[in-house]
Amino acid sequence: EAGVVQSPRYKIIEKKQPVAFWCNPISGHNTLYWYRQNLGQGPELLIRYENEEAVDDSQLPKDRFSAERLKGVDSTLKIQPAELGDSAVYLCASSSRLGEAFFGQGTRLTVV
Amino acid sequence: DQQVKQNSPSLSVQEGRISILNCDYTNSMFDYFLWYKKYPAEGPTFLISISSIKDKNEDGRFTVFLNKSAKHLSLHIVPSQPGDSAVYFCAASGGGSEKLVFGKGTKLTVNP
């Protein structure tokens, strides 16, 4: 069974440019998460989806970040415009209703 | 305000010995606790979990202990192997939310 797939693995952009990350969760997992991990820190939740509905986006900086999960499967996370402080690893995870979360390999974003 | 704390940034043990990683939490609503292991350039991998109705859960070389009165949990690895060298994250959820709150991680080094 394939795990959580994220792309790209690495992205380097100039500040003020837009960037998008893509996530394909494990088949059958209704819950999808986007986390951000800064250097030396644990992952922090940005947004959580139950199927196609965003049920927890309190930590998402909505002035520049947006996310969508069309048809309750794949998801994209977008930043526009990117700032230097957005440099981090962006992790996608998925889980079944009562299970532990499985993470993808992450996208390492560097904003220069 | 960090709700999940891992106060030891690093730990070094000899191969074959026991590794003990500690985690404290402040939110009494947490009722499900997990440990994740993370290798460089990879996403966190689920290791073991424990529900608040238990005080111990064992899986092979890994045992998690939960002390609810002290709001403390620990992960024991016996015997430790060089391949266990990684960053270990403690995470918690509860209060009706499936949101995982992570600690900052402890880097374990197992020396041959």
Side-chain angles (χ1 to χ4, degrees), chain B:
Chain B
D1 176 31
Q2 197 160 13
Q3 299 184 69
V4 178
K5 299 177 183 178
Q6 294 178 257
N7 292 318
S8 298
S10 63
L11 175 68
S12 182
V13 300
Q14 286 299 120
E15 181 178 5
R17 297 291 188 98
I18 185 171
S19 295
I20 300 177
L21 296 103
N22 294 303
C23 177
D24 297 294
Y25 62 96
T26 58
N27 190 338
S28 58
M29 297 297 289
F30 287 149
D31 57 12
Y32 188 57
F33 305 89
L34 308 90
W35 284 94
Y36 282 83
K37 178 170 70 174
K38 185 181 184 303
Y39 293 118
E42 293 185 12
T45 302
F46 170 74
L47 195 56
I48 193 169
S49 64
I50 188 166
S51 165
S52 60
I53 62 174
K54 294 185 175 182
D55 54 18
K56 176 183 175 181
N57 188 26
E58 190 173 354
D59 183 3
R61 297 184 298 113
F62 303 91
T63 303
V64 57
F65 295 91
L66 175 63
N67 183 333
K68 290 185 288 294
S69 61
K71 293 190 177 68
H72 176 84
L73 63 156
S74 61
L75 174 68
H76 293 210
I77 307 174
V78 182
S80 301
Q81 300 174 353
D84 296 328
S85 297
V87 177
Y88 288 78
F89 290 100
C90 172
S93 68
S97 170
E98 294 183 37
K99 168 185 174 179
L100 287 177
V101 180
F102 284 83
K104 291 186 176 183
T106 296
K107 183 178 181 180
L108 173 66
T109 303
V110 180
N111 301 303

Side-chain angles (χ1 to χ4, degrees), chain A residues 20-103:
Chain A
F21 314 125
W22 175 81
C23 174
N24 181 236
I26 293 173
S27 177
H29 281 190
N30 298 321
T31 306
L32 183 146
Y33 312 79
W34 282 103
Y35 282 86
R36 177 170 60 188
Q37 185 176 13
N38 292 308
L39 190 64
Q41 303 293 316
E44 294 180 336
L45 182 70
L46 291 173
I47 189 168
R48 177 169 69 92
Y49 283 93
E50 290 293 340
N51 298 305
E52 65 273 10
E53 182 183 359
V55 296
D56 185 351
D57 63 355
S58 58
Q59 299 293 98
L60 190 73
K62 298 182 183 64
D63 56 336
R64 298 183 299 108
F65 286 65
S66 64
E68 61 181 8
R69 189 183 184 197
L70 298 176
K71 299 182 180 179
V73 183
D74 293 3
S75 178
T76 56
L77 177 68
K78 298 178 181 178
I79 309 174
Q80 182 171 10
E83 297 179 353
L84 294 176
D86 296 331
S87 295
V89 176
Y90 290 83
L91 294 160
C92 179
S94 69
S95 68
S96 58
R97 189 74 181 112
L98 295 174
E100 65 275 4
F102 293 85
F103 284 82

